[in-house]
Amino acid sequence: MQLKAQQVCFRYHKRAPWILKDLDFTVDSRERVGLVGPSGYGKSTLSKLLAGYADPTRGQILLDGKPLPKSGYCPVQMIYQHPEQAVNPRWKMERVLRECWNPDPELLTAMGIEKEWLKRWPSELSGGELQRFCIARVLGPDTRFLICDEISTMLDVITQAQIWHLLMEYAEKKQMGLVVVTHNMALAEKVCTRIVSLPDLNHI
Ligand SMILES: Nc1ncnc2c1ncn2[C@@H]1O[C@H](COP(=O)(O)OP(=O)(O)OP(=O)(O)O)[C@@H](O)[C@H]1O
């Protein structure tokens, strides 16, 4: 499978500056692509477009040549830097976790999710604990691409390593393409099969 941004231009409103201009970007389901570049260059914006959370001002996002589905489960899923913004605060963790699929106990163990946490509210977990749920809940069989926007910034180094190891293994086994947005070049080099830098539109 292939996820493609084709000649994508984006600005947040009519008089705002262009964030992305005529951008072509492709990721294959066997790839893990690092998306790097200084702050403000549009990495998160491109992530949102790729996951269908916003539409390009011009150009298109294509999944195997077709637009992303407008209803039902989207095969392109996104994980954010701030997990507390990505969960319903009125749902207990058990419900948050099983929103899209039913992860097996082995996955929960591998993710370091403790059984007892399932009974808690999101506000009763740390950012790192919550992030493990946000990752586990999108690893279902219908996810073909995973857009990871600075997902491990709030984790300690050991947990970071564990989670990236698991994600890499999972992505390879399930042929799930990854887009890894990060400022951490060492992480990108370790995790990714290819690295792409976004251009500086102010100097074109
Ligand atoms: N909702 C929004 N409305 C208007 N402008 C926005 C919005 N979100 C982001 N921007 C602007 O778009 C530009 C790109 O932001 P984006 O978050 O995509 O960059 P980034 O490369 O991910 O940055 P960082 O590395 O700091 O996360 C920035 O100038 C930002 O101020």
Side-chain angles (χ1 to χ4, degrees), residues 10-13 16-20 35-48 81 149-150 181-183 198:
F10 185 84
R11 58 183 169 188
Y12 278 94
H13 55 87
W18 290 103
I19 308 296
L20 304 169
L35 197 56
V36 301
S39 192
Y41 274 36
K43 302 179 297 297
S44 294
T45 302
L46 176 59
S47 299
K48 283 185 251 170
Q81 177 174 3
D149 189 359
E150 292 280 2
V181 175
T182 182
H183 287 283
L198 283 188

Side-chain angles (χ1 to χ4, degrees), residues 133-148:
F133 282 89
C134 291
I135 298 171
R137 77 171 166 178
V138 292
L139 292 181
D142 295 332
T143 303
R144 308 307 313 140
F145 289 90
L146 206 52
I147 318 292
C148 307

Side-chain angles (χ1 to χ4, degrees), residues 84 87-92 121-123:
E84 61 286 354
V87 297
N88 187 335
R90 294 179 190 171
W91 285 5
K92 285 203 170 173
W121 299 101
S123 59

Side-chain angles (χ1 to χ4, degrees), residues 1-60:
M1 274 193 129
Q2 203 175 58
L3 176 64
K4 191 171 194 166
Q6 188 170 283
Q7 287 291 293
V8 161
C9 300
F10 185 84
R11 58 183 169 188
Y12 278 94
H13 55 87
K14 261 193 174 156
R15 274 187 291 273
W18 290 103
I19 308 296
L20 304 169
K21 202 90 193 271
D22 302 325
L23 182 90
D24 286 313
F25 174 86
T26 305
V27 51
D28 189 88
S29 45
R30 287 159 212 259
E31 283 189 301
R32 301 185 296 271
V33 180
L35 197 56
V36 301
S39 192
Y41 274 36
K43 302 179 297 297
S44 294
T45 302
L46 176 59
S47 299
K48 283 185 251 170
L49 298 179
L50 288 170
Y53 290 130
D55 291 321
T57 313
R58 290 187 214 137
Q60 46 191 344

